[in-house]
Amino acid sequence: MAARQCIVGGNWKMNTNRASASALAKDVGEACSPSANGVAVVVFPPFPYLMEVAETLVDTGIEVGAQDVFAEPEGAFTGEVSVSMLQDCGCSWVLCGHSERRHVMGEPDDLVNRKVLAALAGGLKVILCVGETQAQREAGQTDAINDAQLRAGLNTVDATGIENIVIAYEPVWAIGTGLTATPEDAQSAHAAIRATLADVFSESAADGVRIQYGGSMKPGNAAELLSQPDIDGGLIGGAALKAADFAQIVAAGA
Ligand code: PGA
């Protein structure tokens, strides 16, 4: 099995202001760089603060990503932001298909796929988020939903492209709710995700893809989740807004 580097992302969502985003970035830089110990760390601030956060984190080894991107390079797309704009602001990563984009903004699979392809073509690394709702879990559809979201989101991604993608498994019912998948349930979903990746690409490609868990991961449950064989990191929302909590999760992945 490939040794996969643990990757922890901090998704700040629509939180912070200019001053608190800079302060959080500074604190994360100080708290996480020493504890990272081989763990890759990426933060995803709101668009307006990307540049300042990227400047604050320069030389810390912590990378910066955006929470979303549009699929077109430029033009009449009011309110949207392109891949090259994100790169101009210091981003090397982007989230695609976060559950809040899918379920609050109504983003469909084919748009998520266009964003993934545009990001890869422009040289951004992608965290592609998938996950089932509560009703889908209760109906026993967890693996089928993840499989369908993966196949659609990764449509026409090639062997080089998948090397620049991380998958985040984020059960919708666990995001921001305080509810967490048990380590066993999360591991089972991650193993099924890896099987889909093996089917779409190859066993060896799937073996190299990092799959993060997201959904109320916090200092108290991170170590157990991250010790599962197919859980290669975390995508953290609420607990990423406190540098000390975020640093403890990063340390748990080291
Ligand atoms: P949460 O969010 O940690 O607050 O549940 C995770 C996410 O949405 O990425």
Side-chain angles (χ1 to χ4, degrees):
M1 194 182 81
R4 295 181 292 266
Q5 184 195 25
C6 180
I7 176 164
V8 176
N11 176 9
W12 297 0
K13 307 193 180 185
M14 200 172 73
N15 294 299
T16 68
N17 58 33
R18 186 176 174 183
S20 67
S22 285
L24 180 57
K26 185 169 172 290
D27 291 348
V28 165
E30 285 168 7
C32 291
S33 310
S35 66
N37 225 340
V39 177
V41 181
V42 194
V43 293
F44 297 86
F47 285 135
Y49 311 132
L50 282 170
M51 271 164 57
E52 272 186 45
V53 167
E55 277 161 26
T56 304
L57 289 172
V58 89
D59 295 332
T60 61
I62 296 172
E63 293 183 280
V64 177
Q67 298 171 18
D68 190 27
V69 67
F70 194 55
E72 297 296 331
E74 64 186 1
F77 303 104
T78 301
E80 296 296 334
V81 173
S82 73
V83 170
S84 63
M85 290 172 185
L86 295 180
Q87 287 168 322
D88 253 357
C89 295
C91 289
S92 46
W93 287 89
V94 66
L95 301 181
C96 291
H98 188 276
S99 87
E100 286 142 21
R101 303 282 338 154
R102 292 178 188 270
H103 297 286
V104 182
M105 281 56 166
E107 211 168 274
D109 274 325
D110 62 326
L111 180 56
V112 174
N113 176 240
R114 285 172 56 210
K115 292 179 175 189
V116 168
L117 294 173
L120 293 175
L124 283 177
K125 293 172 281 188
V126 169
I127 297 183
L128 171 63
C129 307
V130 300
E132 84 287 1
T133 63
Q134 175 88 55
Q136 290 164 336
R137 167 157 289 258
E138 282 164 8
Q141 296 171 339
T142 298
D143 293 342
I145 294 293
N146 289 336
D147 182 83
Q149 289 183 353
L150 285 169
R151 286 177 196 274
L154 296 171
N155 189 26
T156 75
V157 169
D158 63 14
T160 312
I162 191 63
E163 290 175 9
N164 290 305
I165 294 182
V166 166
I167 306 297
Y169 168 58
E170 300 204 300
V172 179
W173 49 270
I175 297 179
T177 57
L179 302 171
T180 315
T182 64
E184 296 72 28
D185 284 346
Q187 165 57 28
S188 151
H190 281 230
I193 286 169
R194 204 175 299 287
T196 296
L197 295 173
D199 190 47
V200 173
F201 298 97
S202 66
E203 289 280 346
S204 68
D207 204 27
V209 177
R210 290 170 294 174
I211 307 174
Q212 297 175 311
Y213 170 80
S216 301
M217 194 188 268
K218 42 188 179 269
N221 59 24
E224 210 187 349
L225 286 160
L226 293 172
S227 70
Q228 300 298 313
D230 285 293
I231 301 185
D232 310 308
L235 185 56
I236 320 302
L241 296 172
K242 288 194 190 126
D245 286 0
F246 188 63
Q248 274 191 58
I249 297 171
V250 170

